[in-house]
Amino acid sequence: MRFAVRLSVLGFIFVGLFSVLGLRLWFLQVAEGPAIARATEEQTWIQKSTHALRGDIRDRNGTLLVTSQFVPAVVVDRTFVQPEQREGLVQQLSALLGIDPGELDQMYEDANVNGRFQVKTVEPQAAYLINERLDDLPGVEIVKIPERVYLTGPTLAHVIGHLGLPNAADLEENPDLPPDVRIGKIGVENVYEDYLKGTSGLQEYRVRGGEIIAQRPPVEPESGNSLELTIDLDLQEVVELALEEGIALSNSVKEAGRADGQEFFSETKNAAAVVIDPNTFEVLSISSVPDFDPQQFVTGIDEETFAQLNETRAFNNLAVSGLYPPASTFKAITYTVAEQENLPFPSDIEGVNAADRLIHCDGTLELPNLEDGSPQVKDDWYEPANIGWRDIHGALEQSCNIYFWSVALGTWQNRETVGENIIQDWAKDLGYGSATGIDLTNEVGGVVPTRELFEEWAQYQIDNPDEPPRLDRSRLEAGSPFFGGDLMDFAIGQGSFTATPLQVATSYAILANGGQVMEPRVVSRVVDTEGNLVRSVNSPVLETIPISATVRRSLLTDLGRVVTNGTARAAFEDFGEGLDRVGGKTGTGQAGSNRDDHAWFVGVAPLDDPQYIVAVVIEEGGSGGRIAAPVARHIMQYLMGNEPTPIVEGEDTD
Amino acid sequence: MTLLNRVREVAVQRRDNRSDWILFGTMLTLSGLGLLMIYSATRSSGTFSMERQMIFVAAGLIIFVLASNIDYREYRSMVPLASGVILALLVAVLFFPAIENVNRWIPLGFFNLQPAEFAKVVVIVALASLLAPRNPARDELGPRSLSWAKIGQAALLVAIPGYLILREPDLGTTLVFGFIFLTMVFVSGATWRQMVTLLTAVVLGSIAVLRLGLLSEYQILRLQALLDQDLDPQGVGYQLIQSKNAIGSGQLFGKGLLEDGTLTAFEYVPEQQTDFIFTAVGEQLGFVGGVLVLAAFAVLVWRLLVIAANARDRFGALIAVGVAAMMMFHVVVNIGMTIGIMPVTGLPLPFLSQGGSFYMSMTLSLGIVNSVWLMRTPVPGENQLT
């Protein structure tokens, strides 16, 4: 091939390459050009969002609990910093703010090329000083950013909740969330986030060479809506203090007991209480001990403090997330079912008078052979004394286990006719076994044991032998894992049965209001900045359970007998005027081996027209009559207008 | 006196020939456009970058004039010396402190010398010297064949500096060497069979390089970024997206030279004044401007091939072909990169991109080719393409 021909071949290849470039250029600039031009036009505008002021939170009387204010913050905008100015800026600014230059440089690095980042909020004086020197600090701005102010400190912390930066899950759920904006993490701060947060504003401008050359009209931020809680702050303070004193009482009782050679396993640390209006299901007070100060999350909480608080369950609202056996407080429910459904009595058992519905409460119940491996003799561990023949009224007053065991035994023996799950079904209707739906975070539902559930558990246990077992191994080998003894334990609020203090309170509220089921609420209204109603958070009646007026009246009367003659008599001794108008039920929950009993009391007041249900649990606090009843009495004195008397030891009762 | 005599000997005997004014004019036009584009891309921080480039343009033009006036045939005897110097510099550069993680520059105070740029010119001349017969009797431009031994020598000649440059690392420049080698071997008379074998070897070699991990992580990332341009949107991917946005949004007639509100004005395209200078053309002057720049390069390459066809000997012809291959590769890879059909390899655009060593090596190579034109056969026409 001649040289010239080879050159020509080369020439053709080169022409081909030029054509490819030209064609691609045509495609990019002429075919796709207009679309690309539209997209890039927006790109040259820098967008800066301005945070909105978060809405306030007030209690039911209008007392301000949480508000927001603007505080000065130092912000660096990289758009206005030339690369060669970076080092000097970092040095100067870190010296001015007293922070580590390396840390500041990392913040700078992490912001995008044209990004903004907030260095820290500063005191007004410091802001003034920096403002004076802005000419030497390229890209530095003092901006006003909203900051949350929690006026009541740790009081009501579990209801209010706290803010925090969004985590990965939050961002996945809401991809438009600016990663530097603080959102509600728990409590109403979280549940009502959409109302509280308001709408961010927007500033758009173009920058060249560190100068703003064009601006679009800014969009102003809109403040968030405010919440009005159903909580009464004064009551809340009384309740929180009473729980602390109840814990102290429990520990001093344990200490004295240990000196006498009694065995206690733990130091009492946790407690929870709920006060609810049974007519509206408005929560007047809800507390959990220990608590935390939401203000700590405003400036940023260090990991060690967080871990420490987390360890003590300070962030858990035990009133909605703590699960305890409801123990003898549940006897009021068994009572109601027995009376309303006229549950059959067991036959052919010594100490049972089925005709007159009397039980001989002598501390022991000898059972016929249930053919399922249940113990043949059940001892009342708490009322071993012989208190003679009792009807249901006297049994509730003295919290006689034998009586309510017998009711369950009668149901078990006649399960073919009355249905094995009749008591459990009532419990579920009254809200046990599933979350109540309160407008708070992390609520749990608890367990109502039934044969179906036990069979499910047994199957799961067989399928997953490596997981911790829920049922004793011997049950897996029996014909059915659910025994008659389980129903009997359930009837006195024990066994696998667990519930939250809120569930116990709402179940009593339903009994007290004649059967109306509602969702409990801690927020009553959402209002805008001018005070106009945005949303009324009222709770409709979801269902009405048929409870006859006679049964309701009889229950309320017998709850009154508990505090005048029964297990809470000693605790209510110095209640003062109107003792005959209040009532309640003690409970002492077995927590399991090597743990102390949970102390319970559920109060109802006034008995003639119930306005308050008070549920108190002192976790591993000991006897309900001794520890929890005095705490509840103190709260009920306040509710009924009496001067609350000191929380002192009551009688050691079930 | 001896020196003066030597200068007279080396100086081009002009006879009746004149410089290739089309070549020179195109070069000058592109250089002027380059200054304007560099200014447009850096104007927010002043005229510093443009002024600096103006110095290089001035120096480059002096180099062009000097090279034009030296008889290119003198270089043949200088090949061993020049090769030695350039290899020494390529080794030395690896021992100087890295700038932005690469060892490409030798700092000289007033500017950073990039030996790899001058190595391209030396390799072109050395290849031409190797492939062109020394015996004038055999040096006619007719058909001839190339022995495998010769091809092997040529391969070794590009492989040594190519490897050193790959170590800097500068994959783009190494690839330029490969393209120059293939083009010059083809024009020198390699058979189709030899070409196919060589191309196969290049493909297998590339696969081996990828497989053996001889490329650094960022080079692989750049190749991946070409295939998946949403990858690494902060780094190379970002550069590619902004580059295509700038060019695409220029549309048919561009947004206008030095217009406000362009991505160029806002410096949205990283490294715009160097490797991505074509984005400034595309955005401000549009498709029309971009095609005119392509046309200018086409004219340049056309003149280089014409000069090759009219050279008085094969040595001169091969130099012109080698320079044409170098220009072509730079243009295709650089512009192709900005419009998303070539990987980001860091090859600048001749005469437009900011950079001293590169600009001067380009004018040096055109100066040498102009010398080939000036020394062409006194009776033109015999082997002309035109």
Side-chain angles (χ1 to χ4, degrees):
Chain A
M1 210 191 312
R2 291 179 61 83
F3 186 72
V5 177
R6 286 182 184 262
L7 282 185
S8 308
V9 169
L10 204 57
F12 278 117
I13 293 173
F14 287 0
V15 167
L17 289 173
F18 276 118
S19 309
V20 169
L21 291 179
L23 280 173
R24 170 70 185 163
L25 214 51
W26 169 270
F27 178 70
L28 197 62
Q29 296 191 285
V30 181
E32 281 193 335
I36 295 175
R38 272 193 300 278
T40 48
E41 160 71 12
E42 277 312 298
Q43 202 191 343
T44 58
W45 288 92
I46 291 172
Q47 297 191 325
K48 182 171 86 174
S49 73
T50 43
H51 296 324
L53 215 50
R54 211 172 158 86
D56 294 339
I57 301 176
R58 291 167 193 278
D59 90 334
R60 68 184 296 123
N61 303 316
T63 309
L64 191 59
L65 306 172
V66 184
T67 187
S68 290
Q69 63 180 24
F70 281 114
V71 294
V74 177
V75 167
V76 175
D77 193 329
R78 283 188 53 171
T79 319
F80 301 103
V81 187
Q82 302 303 314
E84 63 274 12
Q85 297 172 319
R86 171 176 174 173
E87 203 182 322
L89 173 69
V90 167
Q91 291 301 334
Q92 278 200 55
L93 195 58
S94 59
L96 272 173
L97 296 174
I99 56 174
D100 179 39
E103 199 180 310
L104 182 59
D105 196 63
Q106 190 58 47
M107 290 165 90
Y108 192 100
E109 188 64 45
D110 292 344
N112 280 330
V113 180
N114 284 324
R116 290 165 62 84
F117 64 95
Q118 183 184 322
V119 184
K120 63 185 289 199
T121 57
V122 289
E123 295 297 319
Q125 282 110 322
Y128 182 76
L129 273 176
I130 292 167
N131 207 38
E132 294 281 276
R133 307 187 52 179
L134 281 186
D135 288 345
D136 305 335
L137 298 165
V140 174
E141 294 168 34
I142 303 288
V143 298
K144 287 174 172 178
I145 62 152
E147 194 174 87
R148 208 69 168 139
V149 186
Y150 296 92
L151 297 167
T152 55
T155 303
L156 208 54
H158 295 104
V159 171
I160 291 169
H162 65 79
L163 304 183
L165 293 174
N167 59 24
D170 297 324
L171 289 171
E172 194 171 314
E173 200 176 310
N174 191 354
D176 297 333
L177 216 55
D180 65 331
V181 81
R182 286 172 193 270
I183 59 168
K185 287 298 200 176
I186 57 173
V188 293
E189 289 272 40
N190 172 278
V191 176
Y192 293 90
E193 170 75 20
D194 287 346
Y195 289 105
L196 288 167
K197 68 181 179 191
T199 317
S200 318
L202 187 66
Q203 291 183 354
E204 290 180 288
Y205 50 87
R206 278 175 153 176
V207 174
R208 199 170 59 226
E211 303 283 337
I212 291 181
I213 55 161
Q215 270 183 326
R216 286 177 175 168
V219 180
E220 295 300 330
E222 279 174 48
S223 297
N225 295 317
S226 295
L227 303 182
E228 283 178 20
L229 302 184
T230 59
I231 304 286
D232 182 322
L233 181 64
D234 297 334
L235 171 66
Q236 179 74 22
E237 282 169 351
V238 169
V239 171
E240 289 189 17
L241 215 59
L243 286 182
E244 295 284 358
E245 286 176 30
I247 288 173
L249 173 66
S250 163
N251 281 323
S252 72
V253 164
K254 284 182 182 179
E255 206 170 309
R258 283 195 188 102
D260 286 350
Q262 284 171 282
E263 194 181 14
F264 291 104
F265 298 100
S266 62
E267 188 196 339
T268 311
K269 288 173 183 157
N270 297 98
V274 176
V275 180
I276 186 170
D277 180 341
N279 305 302
T280 60
F281 271 49
E282 285 181 354
V283 176
L284 304 173
S285 165
I286 189 162
S287 329
S288 182
V289 179
D291 52 25
F292 62 94
D293 186 351
Q295 196 70 39
Q296 286 187 290
F297 288 87
V298 173
T299 43
I301 189 166
D302 63 275
E303 266 176 54
E304 199 184 331
T305 314
F306 184 88
Q308 235 165 27
L309 286 170
N310 203 25
E311 178 82 8
T312 62
R313 296 194 285 161
F315 301 122
N316 297 33
N317 184 356
L318 297 173
V320 300
S321 66
L323 284 174
Y324 309 93
S328 299
T329 65
F330 189 70
K331 285 172 186 163
I333 285 88
T334 308
Y335 175 110
T336 308
V337 187
E339 291 292 276
Q340 186 70 38
E341 303 278 359
N342 202 19
L343 289 180
F345 263 49
S347 48
D348 306 328
I349 295 187
E350 200 189 321
V352 173
N353 178 346
D356 298 329
R357 300 178 76 85
L358 297 176
I359 304 286
H360 195 245
C361 286
D362 59 359
T364 314
L365 181 66
E366 285 176 43
L367 308 184
N369 188 0
L370 291 175
E371 291 175 358
D372 64 3
S374 295
Q376 296 307 294
V377 177
K378 274 181 101 82
D379 289 317
D380 185 338
W381 61 89
Y382 232 102
E383 204 61 61
N386 184 351
I387 53 172
W389 288 93
R390 289 277 167 171
D391 62 7
I392 196 162
H393 313 289
L396 190 73
E397 174 198 296
Q398 295 300 330
S399 200
C400 170
N401 283 339
I402 308 288
Y403 191 98
F404 293 95
W405 271 333
S406 302
V407 169
L409 181 58
T411 304
W412 177 262
Q413 285 177 337
N414 298 283
R415 60 186 182 275
E416 300 291 327
T417 49
V418 297
E420 181 185 300
N421 287 342
I422 185 163
I423 309 176
Q424 289 100 316
D425 289 344
W426 266 84
K428 287 176 182 172
D429 284 347
L430 291 167
Y432 291 95
S434 56
T436 62
I438 192 171
D439 43 356
L440 286 174
T441 44
N442 300 318
E443 195 195 4
V444 296
V447 168
V448 172
T450 58
R451 185 189 298 280
E452 293 74 25
L453 184 69
F454 271 43
E455 281 171 356
E456 211 175 283
W457 283 1
Q459 192 55 47
Y460 186 84
Q461 207 161 307
I462 292 164
D463 295 342
N464 301 278
D466 299 333
E467 287 183 36
R470 291 177 109 159
L471 296 172
D472 191 78
R473 177 168 289 279
S474 61
R475 287 173 182 268
L476 301 184
E477 286 147 19
S480 167
F482 191 79
F483 302 149
D486 294 319
L487 184 66
M488 292 169 71
D489 286 341
F490 170 72
I492 61 161
Q494 288 289 163
S496 302
F497 187 17
T498 56
T500 64
L502 178 66
Q503 282 175 316
V504 172
T506 52
S507 68
Y508 271 67
I510 297 165
L511 297 180
N513 71 22
Q516 294 184 327
V517 180
M518 290 173 257
E519 277 186 0
R521 284 281 173 265
V522 296
V523 170
S524 59
R525 286 164 21 111
V526 181
V527 295
D528 67 15
T529 43
E530 269 101 52
N532 302 317
L533 185 70
V534 175
R535 182 185 154 193
S536 176
V537 194
N538 49 13
S539 196
V541 176
L542 301 172
E543 195 187 341
T544 304
I545 299 169
I547 301 171
S548 75
T550 326
V551 172
R552 169 173 173 267
R553 180 47 47 208
S554 140
L555 173 68
L556 290 173
T557 307
D558 291 341
L559 291 175
R561 283 174 61 176
V562 171
V563 302
T564 50
N565 303 309
T567 52
R569 189 193 57 79
F572 276 73
E573 210 153 33
D574 50 3
F575 183 86
E577 207 179 317
L579 175 63
D580 56 336
R581 294 184 67 208
V582 299
K585 181 72 195 80
T586 53
T588 304
Q590 291 187 309
S593 53
N594 297 330
R595 292 183 70 191
D596 295 331
D597 295 338
H598 302 307
W600 275 103
F601 190 84
V602 189
V604 183
L607 290 174
D608 43 90
D609 177 21
Q611 303 295 322
Y612 309 107
I613 303 292
V614 180
V616 171
V617 66
I618 313 286
E619 185 177 316
E620 297 195 45
S623 151
R626 195 180 201 176
I627 307 293
V631 173
R633 183 259 303 153
H634 183 91
I635 297 167
M636 290 165 81
Q637 282 175 313
Y638 175 85
L639 289 170
M640 295 301 284
N642 290 0
E643 182 63 32
T645 52
I647 293 169
V648 292
E649 192 178 347
E651 198 188 342
D652 185 359
T653 56
D654 186 6
Chain B
M1 280 315 281
T2 46
L3 185 69
L4 200 61
N5 283 337
R6 178 67 184 142
V7 166
R8 283 204 184 107
E9 267 174 55
V10 167
V12 168
Q13 304 300 307
R14 281 187 174 264
R15 302 201 186 102
D16 295 328
N17 290 343
R18 302 198 313 172
S19 284
D20 187 335
W21 291 108
I22 301 178
L23 185 80
F24 182 70
T26 311
M27 182 183 94
L28 215 54
T29 308
L30 287 170
S31 303
L33 182 68
L35 291 174
L36 205 52
M37 288 301 128
I38 290 166
Y39 173 67
S40 76
T42 58
R43 64 186 188 269
S44 66
S45 39
T47 54
F48 174 78
S49 298
M50 181 186 67
E51 284 166 13
R52 195 173 159 78
Q53 185 69 9
M54 282 169 99
I55 296 170
F56 294 133
V57 170
L61 292 181
I62 293 169
I63 289 171
F64 177 85
V65 172
L66 287 176
S68 299
N69 285 289
I70 294 173
D71 186 341
Y72 70 95
R73 288 171 294 183
E74 290 292 328
Y75 296 125
R76 206 152 179 174
S77 55
M78 286 162 60
V79 164
L81 177 66
S83 301
V85 170
I86 208 75
L87 283 179
L89 286 173
L90 285 176
V91 172
V93 77
L94 298 175
F95 294 96
F96 281 93
I99 300 174
E100 287 175 20
N101 290 328
V102 290
N103 300 79
R104 287 184 193 166
W105 295 276
I106 297 176
L108 297 178
F110 56 96
F111 105 112
N112 292 335
L113 180 75
Q114 200 174 351
E117 298 300 352
F118 294 101
K120 291 173 195 165
V121 185
V122 173
V123 162
I124 289 170
V125 175
L127 271 180
S129 171
L130 178 76
L131 296 170
R134 289 192 174 272
N135 181 355
R138 293 187 57 204
D139 187 16
E140 39 82 40
L141 296 175
R144 63 192 289 265
S145 62
L146 209 55
S147 70
W148 273 113
K150 207 70 170 188
I151 292 174
Q153 286 169 18
L156 201 64
L157 206 154
V158 292
I160 294 168
Y163 173 72
L164 287 171
I165 291 165
L166 194 59
R167 287 286 302 273
E168 292 182 357
D170 186 352
L171 177 66
T173 303
T174 306
L175 293 175
V176 177
F177 282 23
F179 188 71
I180 291 171
F181 163 75
L182 286 175
T183 310
M184 289 178 75
V185 163
F186 167 67
V187 172
S188 298
T191 60
W192 289 113
R193 200 177 179 155
Q194 283 171 326
M195 286 313 291
V196 168
T197 312
L198 284 176
L199 283 169
T200 312
V202 167
V203 170
L204 291 178
S206 308
I207 292 170
V209 164
L210 281 174
R211 281 293 158 103
L212 296 175
L214 292 177
L215 290 182
S216 57
E217 210 167 299
Y218 84 90
Q219 288 170 329
I220 292 174
L221 192 66
R222 284 168 162 190
L223 289 173
Q224 287 171 337
L226 178 72
L227 299 175
D228 179 4
Q229 299 187 356
D230 294 329
L231 198 80
D232 187 22
Q234 296 297 316
V236 181
Y238 176 80
Q239 206 170 20
L240 264 180
I241 290 164
Q242 297 302 7
S243 173
K244 288 195 292 178
N245 281 349
I247 295 173
S249 63
Q251 303 189 63
L252 192 55
F253 296 109
K255 295 176 186 170
L257 192 59
L258 300 179
E259 196 63 31
D260 281 345
T262 58
L263 296 186
T264 302
F266 289 113
E267 302 185 7
Y268 266 72
V269 186
E271 298 297 327
Q272 192 181 20
Q273 73 275 26
T274 56
D275 293 350
F276 283 82
I277 194 69
F278 189 73
T279 59
V281 178
E283 186 180 26
Q284 298 180 91
L285 305 178
F287 177 71
V288 172
V291 166
L292 285 176
V293 168
L294 282 181
F297 281 115
V299 166
L300 212 60
V301 172
W302 163 63
R303 286 311 303 168
L304 292 171
L305 294 183
V306 167
I307 292 168
N310 289 286
R312 70 180 302 135
D313 57 10
R314 188 171 290 267
F315 177 56
L318 284 177
I319 289 176
V321 167
V323 172
M326 173 175 75
M327 292 285 170
M328 196 63 209
F329 194 76
H330 269 274
V331 169
V332 169
V333 174
N334 179 282
I335 295 181
M337 158 183 97
T338 64
I339 55 183
I341 54 174
M342 283 281 163
V344 179
T345 47
L347 278 186
L349 190 59
F351 308 111
L352 275 86
S353 286
Q354 186 189 39
S357 302
F358 178 61
Y359 187 84
M360 292 187 286
S361 74
M362 288 298 115
T363 57
L364 172 64
S365 61
L366 288 197
I368 294 171
V369 177
N370 192 33
S371 164
V372 175
W373 175 250
L374 287 169
M375 297 298 293
R376 70 186 186 274
T377 48
V379 190
E382 205 181 328
N383 291 303
Q384 275 183 359
L385 257 178
T386 43

